Amino acid sequence: MASNAKRQILDGALDLLRAEGGGTITLDAAAKQAGVTKPGLMYHFPTKEALMLAVVDHVADRWETLLLHRLGRPLETATPHQRIRAYVEVSLAAEFDRADFAIYFDAHYRTAFTDAWVRRMEPWLAVPDTLPDTARARLAAARLLADGYWIATSTAVFPVPDRDRAHLLAVAEDLLKDESS
């Protein structure tokens, strides 16, 4: 039950960010949105910082679940090309919205949030220094294409038309060719 209440609170906090005109997460608003009392919320998340870190982890959990499903193997057995390919495919295929962007963007202003994102996503996005420079650049370009796509889609600022998605995947696939094989 406690896990269910936590998830309900975290989902409610994300719903606040989806509100028209942009929402704000406060302990009072999150409790009201989740249908719990403020003390009930604070039982699970004693401070706004604890709630926000949990929201970052909640969103990162979703990313990791999508990435692992797309990868189809344990992360530690994947090559950099396979990891970045999974990231590109998830970024271009999954549905993201302003709440995903808000949580990602807010991390820029708080070290603890940045550290949480880095800890969760670095294993997916890290490119070893041992790869040739050209391969590193191609992987970085594919990742940046994916970053731009999901951010444009989630913010609805200059979104890419759906009809172009397959073509973008083809461009990314060309960038992701592992020339070392």
Side-chain angles (χ1 to χ4, degrees):
M1 178 68 176
S3 176
N4 229 6
K6 280 185 174 184
R7 182 174 188 82
Q8 184 176 339
I9 292 166
L10 296 173
D11 288 339
L14 288 172
D15 286 341
L16 290 170
L17 296 175
R18 290 183 183 103
E20 194 60 38
T24 303
I25 297 175
T26 65
L27 294 177
D28 288 323
K32 183 177 178 182
Q33 183 71 27
V36 298
T37 64
K38 185 175 178 182
L41 180 141
M42 293 181 75
Y43 172 80
H44 299 288
F45 308 105
T47 64
K48 182 177 177 184
E49 178 90 358
L51 174 61
M52 295 304 295
L53 276 170
V55 171
V56 168
D57 272 335
H58 186 58
V59 172
D61 284 343
R62 178 173 177 250
W63 270 95
E64 283 186 324
T65 298
L66 292 167
L67 289 165
L68 282 168
H69 182 264
R70 183 66 66 164
L71 184 61
R73 66 174 357 136
L75 174 61
E76 53 279 352
T77 67
T79 68
H81 286 79
Q82 292 167 332
R83 290 184 283 108
I84 300 291
R85 177 175 283 109
Y87 180 78
V88 167
E89 291 174 357
V90 165
S91 296
L92 271 70
E95 296 292 324
F96 296 105
D97 62 28
R98 70 176 77 190
D100 295 292
F101 178 74
I103 290 301
Y104 177 78
F105 181 76
D106 197 38
H108 177 72
Y109 296 103
R110 293 194 148 127
T111 304
F113 300 169
T114 301
D115 292 348
W117 273 113
V118 169
R119 184 182 77 254
R120 300 295 293 277
M121 296 305 291
E122 189 171 40
W124 290 95
L125 302 176
V127 178
D129 289 333
T130 56
L131 286 178
D133 290 345
T134 303
R136 290 175 53 76
R138 292 172 70 87
L139 291 174
R143 192 206 96 206
L144 292 171
L145 178 151
D147 287 347
Y149 185 87
W150 85 260
I151 289 170
T153 299
S154 66
T155 62
V157 176
F158 303 118
V160 177
D162 284 340
R163 70 178 185 274
D164 294 338
R165 188 182 302 203
H167 299 291
L168 285 172
L169 274 169
V171 169
E173 190 59 40
D174 187 53
L175 290 168
L176 291 166
K177 287 181 185 167
D178 186 351
E179 297 169 357
S180 66
S181 345

